[in-house]
Amino acid sequence: MNKQAILIMYHNDYYILERLLKQIDNKNIDIYLHVDKKVTDFDFTYTKNLVKKSNIFFVKRMNVKWSTFSQIKCELSLLKEATSKNYSYYHLISGNDLLLKPSTELYNFFEKNNGKEFVAYNNIDEHTPESILERIKYYHIFNSYRRDNKTIIKKVLCKLYYHLLNIQKKLKINRLKNNKLIIKKGANWFSITNELAKYVLTKEKEINRMYRLSNCADEIFLQTIVYNSKFKDKIYHESEDEHQNIKRHIDWNRGEPYVFTIDDYQELLNSSAFFARKFSSSKDHKIIDKIYQMTNKK
């Protein structure tokens, strides 16, 4: 029987992670967990013992920063670790996610659709806007300080980031000038087959060269690889909603993204998605408990 792997990028809110791992627990699903280096009090032994049926593997830790290449590096690290065991599907999720359906339903759906690639696109066949291309056509030096700028030195580096970006625009710098790839963008979360996962890893040198000094390219690199390959014809499509096509329930209209509360329970209950993000125990732990109870009924 095929097994599937769920790859988790965790950086905070253990209350959610504990319930998520118990939701996943399934003999046909293994878990690969990356714990961000910024997390200082993580109990690996306790966490490993939370699951009884799944195997759980901890991936080498790194310091992942929003919008930087470290996000892509983390995804590749998770894929490298997991592909050594050959799963039928690899599902990338956040530690702030929850399952909306029992893990058996998740497993059965993807086995039924085996061969399809669940990769999100914004308007797949339309021209990619300049605002997206700018994420990789310029050298985004000191990008990590755009949010992490609380000290004087970091504030200076943050200002320098924007200064260097403006200079590049005036000089009409374009790292994509000789690149013939069609650039595409979409949500960074995915569910992909073993064949695609291994194909992505063959592109690691190209990924490093093209995206190392990029901005938010975790929403671009996989979409671009798939669109410019044979896997483009295997993309799962059921609606014009990019998140629905990857079986995720995410709301960018009410937030960045919106954090679900108990008032959204019926909406989540009626969703056809398998994963939802995001949640926060400090904002509303009741919805987390309610979803957990719903998916773990005996």
Side-chain angles (χ1 to χ4, degrees):
M1 198 172 198
N2 291 330
K3 293 188 76 172
Q4 298 176 19
I6 293 184
L7 321 178
I8 305 174
M9 294 174 65
Y10 169 77
H11 72 285
N12 68 3
D13 210 327
Y14 194 83
Y15 189 87
I16 300 172
L17 181 66
E18 182 171 358
R19 284 148 187 80
L20 171 62
L21 294 176
K22 290 179 180 179
Q23 280 186 307
I24 295 169
D25 201 9
N26 186 311
K27 66 179 182 179
N28 294 316
I29 302 175
D30 286 344
I31 299 165
Y32 289 79
L33 178 60
H34 175 267
V35 180
D36 197 292
K37 260 191 174 179
K38 292 186 286 293
V39 179
T40 57
D41 57 351
F42 194 86
D43 191 330
F44 288 88
T45 302
Y46 176 80
T47 302
K48 193 173 184 69
N49 291 329
L50 286 173
V51 294
K52 309 303 179 186
K53 300 173 185 176
S54 296
N55 295 307
I56 184 167
F57 303 96
F58 298 104
V59 176
K60 185 177 179 181
R61 301 174 70 183
M62 60 182 73
N63 183 9
V64 180
K65 295 185 177 182
W66 173 80
S67 84
T68 71
F69 185 62
S70 60
Q71 290 184 280
I72 296 175
K73 282 180 66 177
C74 185
E75 292 180 32
L76 293 177
S77 178
L78 283 161
L79 283 175
K80 276 184 189 176
E81 190 75 24
T83 51
S84 65
K85 298 188 184 302
N86 291 321
Y87 297 93
S88 59
Y89 271 96
Y90 303 83
H91 310 279
L92 179 70
I93 64 173
S94 159
N96 297 121
D97 294 7
L98 287 172
L99 283 179
L100 293 181
K101 307 279 190 292
S103 61
T104 50
E105 287 189 30
L106 165 81
Y107 176 85
N108 291 335
F109 174 84
F110 283 96
E111 288 305 308
K112 182 179 178 181
N113 288 278
N114 202 335
K116 293 291 185 181
E117 307 297 349
F118 295 76
V119 178
Y121 285 93
N122 296 122
N123 303 318
I124 185 170
D125 291 319
E126 293 183 10
H127 179 71
T128 304
E130 182 65 19
S131 60
I132 302 303
L133 297 178
E134 287 184 354
R135 295 186 184 190
I136 51 178
K137 70 184 290 186
Y138 301 124
Y139 295 93
H140 292 268
I141 304 167
F142 304 126
N143 183 24
S144 61
Y145 298 105
R146 288 196 296 145
R147 278 193 175 182
D148 182 15
N149 59 4
K150 294 180 180 178
T151 66
I152 294 176
I153 292 176
K154 289 179 178 179
K155 285 180 179 177
V156 170
L157 293 174
C158 177
K159 289 182 179 179
L160 185 57
Y161 165 80
Y162 288 106
H163 181 62
L164 291 173
L165 196 58
N166 287 331
I167 290 174
Q168 291 180 75
K169 290 180 179 180
K170 289 178 181 178
L171 293 176
K172 297 184 179 180
I173 298 295
N174 185 1
R175 297 168 67 197
L176 297 173
K177 186 163 64 172
N178 297 316
N179 194 318
K180 296 181 180 179
L181 293 175
I182 298 173
I183 307 301
K184 290 295 175 182
K185 173 193 174 291
N188 64 315
W189 314 109
F190 58 73
S191 295
I192 60 175
T193 63
N194 189 52
E195 186 183 7
L196 176 53
K198 290 191 172 183
Y199 178 75
V200 169
L201 292 175
T202 67
K203 300 288 185 179
E204 186 172 11
K205 286 185 178 180
E206 181 181 316
I207 292 168
N208 286 329
R209 183 175 64 254
M210 189 167 175
Y211 301 106
R212 189 171 59 84
L213 292 174
S214 60
N215 170 39
C216 293
D218 58 311
E219 298 177 333
I220 295 174
F221 89 100
L222 180 63
Q223 284 72 15
T224 299
I225 288 173
V226 173
Y227 193 87
N228 292 275
S229 73
K230 67 178 183 179
F231 296 98
K232 176 187 174 184
D233 297 327
K234 299 180 180 180
I235 296 170
Y236 180 85
H237 184 85
E238 70 175 47
S239 79
E240 297 308 310
D241 183 338
E242 65 167 311
H243 296 116
Q244 191 170 330
N245 288 330
I246 55 172
K247 309 306 286 184
R248 269 75 170 170
H249 194 98
I250 307 172
D251 185 349
W252 283 93
N253 294 319
R254 292 181 288 173
E256 296 185 344
Y258 173 71
V259 178
F260 295 109
T261 70
I262 194 65
D263 294 334
D264 305 301
Y265 176 69
Q266 197 61 44
E267 173 189 333
L268 295 169
L269 183 66
N270 294 335
S271 174
S272 64
F274 287 101
F275 302 103
R277 76 178 308 269
K278 69 182 194 177
F279 299 90
S280 168
S281 61
S282 61
K283 181 172 183 178
D284 191 342
H285 69 86
K286 292 181 181 178
I287 185 61
I288 298 168
D289 296 337
K290 190 83 169 175
I291 295 295
Y292 174 71
Q293 292 164 6
M294 176 187 77
T295 57
N296 283 270
K297 290 179 180 179
K298 302 297 182 184

